[in-house]
């Protein structure tokens, strides 16, 4: 049996992914990255996910929104989700419009955090994941308008509301000390 990973990993996203993919048992089936983007999280890894993104200019397999996944019910072994970390609603009106279009929102968030996108994604995750499937979410707490935003706490609450089970937390400290 593999050794349990440390709760804090000093390294890059790929170091964390390598650790969790090798440790957590999952059912047979695909790993799907529903926010693939440039694929930065996967650099240097042998694992190759099904690459999904809304941006068709990217090198992806499937163009889709994480709010409406094109997979059958209970068909996916593992989802990887790296949502936006700071909503554009906290910025200018132009950046708010960019946030809406990049992440499939139909209206402005007008929230100081990204928790408004959790429920629709988690409903889809619950639908497409196998019963013993896994969801790996990369989240970032931050300070905005002199207030600390506990995104992870909001996510765990949303996970429970979606009738999924939150089970672990790994903190990544990137080179140079950045989270």
């Amino acid at each position: 049996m593999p050794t349990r990973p440390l709760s804090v990993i000093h390294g890059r996203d790929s170091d964390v992914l390598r650790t969790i993919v090798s440790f957590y048992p999952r059912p047979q089936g695909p790993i799907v990255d529903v926010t693939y983007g440039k694929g930065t999280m996967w650099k240097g890894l042998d694992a190759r996910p099904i690459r999904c993104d809304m941006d068709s200019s990217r090198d992806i397999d499937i163009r889709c929104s994480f709010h409406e996944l094109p997979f059958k019910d209970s068909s996916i072994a593992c989802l990887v989700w790296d949502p936006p970390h700071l909503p554009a609603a906290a910025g200018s009106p132009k950046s708010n419009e960019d946030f809406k279009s990049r992440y499939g929102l139909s209206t402005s968030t007008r929230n100081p955090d990204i928790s408004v996108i959790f429920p629709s994604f988690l409903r889809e995750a619950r639908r497409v994941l196998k019963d013993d499937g896994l969801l790996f979410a990369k989240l970032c707490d931050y300070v905005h308008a002199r207030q600390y935003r506990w995104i992870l706490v909001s996510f765990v609450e949303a996970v429970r509301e979606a009738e999924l089970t939150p089970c672990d937390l790994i903190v990544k400290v990137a080179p140079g000390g950045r989270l």
Side-chain angles (χ1 to χ4, degrees):
M1 180 171 189
T3 304
R4 177 160 181 69
L6 298 174
S7 294
V8 177
I9 296 176
H10 292 267
R12 303 197 181 280
D13 291 344
S14 58
D15 299 320
V16 175
L17 276 175
R18 182 180 299 107
T19 300
I20 60 180
V21 166
S22 66
F23 177 74
Y24 292 97
R26 63 182 173 84
Q28 286 291 351
I31 296 174
V32 177
D33 185 337
V34 296
T35 50
Y36 187 78
K38 296 177 185 177
T40 306
M41 290 175 60
W42 298 93
K43 292 199 186 315
L45 293 178
D46 293 332
R48 186 177 183 283
I50 295 173
R51 302 165 300 167
C52 300
D53 204 286
M54 287 184 58
D55 186 349
S56 58
S57 70
R58 304 272 188 212
D59 183 19
I60 57 174
D61 301 311
I62 299 171
R63 183 179 185 271
C64 66
S65 164
F66 57 73
H67 299 285
E68 294 180 40
L69 298 172
F71 304 106
K72 293 179 183 176
D73 295 359
S74 304
S75 62
I76 304 299
C78 181
L79 286 177
V80 175
W81 189 52
D82 181 9
H85 298 300
L86 179 64
S92 69
K94 182 183 180 320
S95 63
N96 192 24
E97 289 303 313
D98 181 52
F99 182 76
K100 287 172 11 186
S101 67
R102 287 178 62 204
Y103 300 105
L105 298 173
S106 58
T107 60
S108 169
T109 64
R110 296 292 180 226
N111 282 340
D113 63 51
I114 62 169
S115 62
V116 296
I117 65 176
F118 296 164
S120 62
F121 166 67
L122 290 168
R123 275 190 299 275
E124 278 298 277
R126 185 172 192 274
R127 181 185 67 77
V128 302
L129 279 172
K130 294 183 175 188
D131 287 341
D132 53 352
L134 297 171
L135 166 60
F136 299 133
K138 177 184 171 193
L139 300 168
C140 185
D141 291 328
Y142 57 91
V143 175
H144 174 70
R146 297 184 187 112
Q147 293 183 343
Y148 203 83
R149 305 297 177 185
W150 292 94
I151 298 304
L152 180 61
V153 172
S154 300
F155 187 71
V156 168
E157 289 170 357
V159 165
R160 288 184 175 136
E161 288 174 14
E163 298 179 352
L164 295 166
T165 304
C167 63
D168 215 338
L169 166 67
I170 295 177
V171 175
K172 176 199 74 166
V173 179
R178 293 181 39 229
L179 294 178

